[in-house]
Amino acid sequence: MFNDITGQKVPAVTFPIIANDTWSARSSEDIFANKTVVVFSLPGAFTPTCSSSHLPRYNELAAKFFANGVDEIVCISVNDTFVMNAWAKDQDADNISFIPDGNGDFTQGMGLLVDKSEIGFGKRSWRYAMLVKNGIVEKMFIEADLPGDPFEVSDADTMLNFINPAAVQKTEIAIFTKHGCSHCAKTKALLAEKGLQYEEMILGEDTSITAMRAITKADTTPQIFIDGKLIGGNDELTKYFS
């Protein structure tokens, strides 16, 4: 079992950070004092689940978190500041603060430092998320102590549901897209702005234009479905939200 420090103060740590090619630092006091902060921590930058699901969804839902009283969303990983900066740039995650716990001091203080030497990672963070108010942990979502890299409870939707169940997405969305489609890019940006998750089917990869035409009776992209109903393209989606 991993340590659950709900009701306790977060570890007091100073994090060396490179910002604009200059060394600086952020302390636990700076990050957590007099603020409501959502933290999610993960095994490593650029790793599959972290890059494809964990981080992107927190970034997508950031507007909903902020609208529900969260002041900052923090991603902590046992990586150095250069790696975390490169990952932030690669993910285009402007809504997230990337905190490099390079020495593992914060993670060790949380009781969540684990040994992943068998896969060449050394000491890393176990995957978890927590809601912190004025430096005190109000709620923790710690992944079960199972082999591999479980990802069941530390996701953004679970955290948002704890903060405000009414803010959680109730609709199911699927979109047909193709590479190089500017309207598709606008559609995905609009859905991300609304904090909505969707299933994307890319022509030539996940499906064919013939299949899309058979389903939608259209041959232009994007084609958007919400709860089984065909909405249409980007213009129709914009009208749908207005």
Side-chain angles (χ1 to χ4, degrees):
M1 292 293 294
F2 290 107
N3 194 33
D4 186 331
I5 66 165
T6 299
Q8 300 179 40
K9 197 172 182 64
V10 296
V13 172
T14 297
F15 304 93
I17 295 173
I18 285 283
N20 300 318
D21 297 322
T22 301
W23 281 102
S24 61
R26 290 193 72 183
S27 66
S28 297
E29 180 75 9
D30 170 58
I31 296 169
F32 296 107
N34 301 311
K35 293 191 296 183
T36 295
V37 181
V38 166
V39 175
F40 64 102
S41 190
L42 34 79
F46 293 103
T47 54
T49 301
C50 306
S51 296
S52 65
S53 302
H54 207 173
L55 170 63
R57 188 59 174 158
Y58 273 99
N59 190 51
E60 288 173 9
L61 288 179
K64 288 192 175 183
F65 280 113
F66 298 148
N68 284 277
V70 173
D71 297 300
E72 187 171 3
I73 304 171
V74 171
C75 174
I76 296 178
S77 182
V78 182
N79 290 110
D80 66 67
T81 184
F82 294 99
V83 169
M84 292 295 274
N85 286 351
W87 192 36
K89 183 177 180 180
D90 178 75
Q91 289 284 310
D92 194 25
D94 294 336
N95 300 310
I96 308 298
S97 298
F98 288 76
I99 301 298
D101 186 27
N103 296 325
D105 295 335
F106 185 89
T107 305
Q108 185 172 30
M110 290 292 300
L112 291 163
L113 192 67
V114 296
D115 189 351
K116 288 187 172 285
S117 298
E118 75 279 1
I119 57 172
F121 276 31
K123 301 290 186 180
R124 294 294 179 108
S125 175
W126 190 249
R127 195 183 296 276
Y128 70 93
M130 63 180 175
L131 179 65
V132 184
K133 294 188 177 181
N134 192 25
I136 303 298
V137 179
E138 180 170 299
K139 178 66 177 179
M140 292 195 73
F141 295 98
I142 306 172
E143 297 297 337
D145 187 3
L146 297 171
D149 181 20
F151 179 46
E152 299 292 337
V153 299
S154 61
D155 58 286
D157 292 272
T158 298
M159 178 62 77
L160 183 61
N161 184 66
F162 174 77
I163 295 171
N164 179 9
V168 177
Q169 179 177 340
K170 301 297 192 300
T171 56
E172 294 184 341
I173 302 173
I175 60 174
F176 288 94
T177 66
K178 68 179 179 181
H179 292 300
C181 168
S182 60
H183 292 292
C184 299
K186 290 178 181 178
T187 290
K188 291 191 285 185
L190 179 57
L191 291 172
E193 178 186 325
K194 300 293 183 181
L196 295 172
Q197 193 170 24
Y198 54 86
E199 184 74 20
E200 182 178 9
M201 293 165 284
I202 304 173
L203 299 189
E205 290 186 14
D206 306 307
T207 189
S208 67
I209 190 169
T210 301
M212 184 187 75
R213 188 185 299 117
I215 295 169
T216 67
K217 298 182 180 180
D219 56 11
T220 58
T221 54
Q223 292 297 318
I224 305 130
F225 284 86
I226 298 180
D227 289 334
K229 179 183 178 181
L230 177 61
I231 302 301
N234 184 67
D235 290 342
E236 288 75 20
L237 183 66
T238 302
K239 291 177 183 177
Y240 175 87
F241 285 126
S242 64

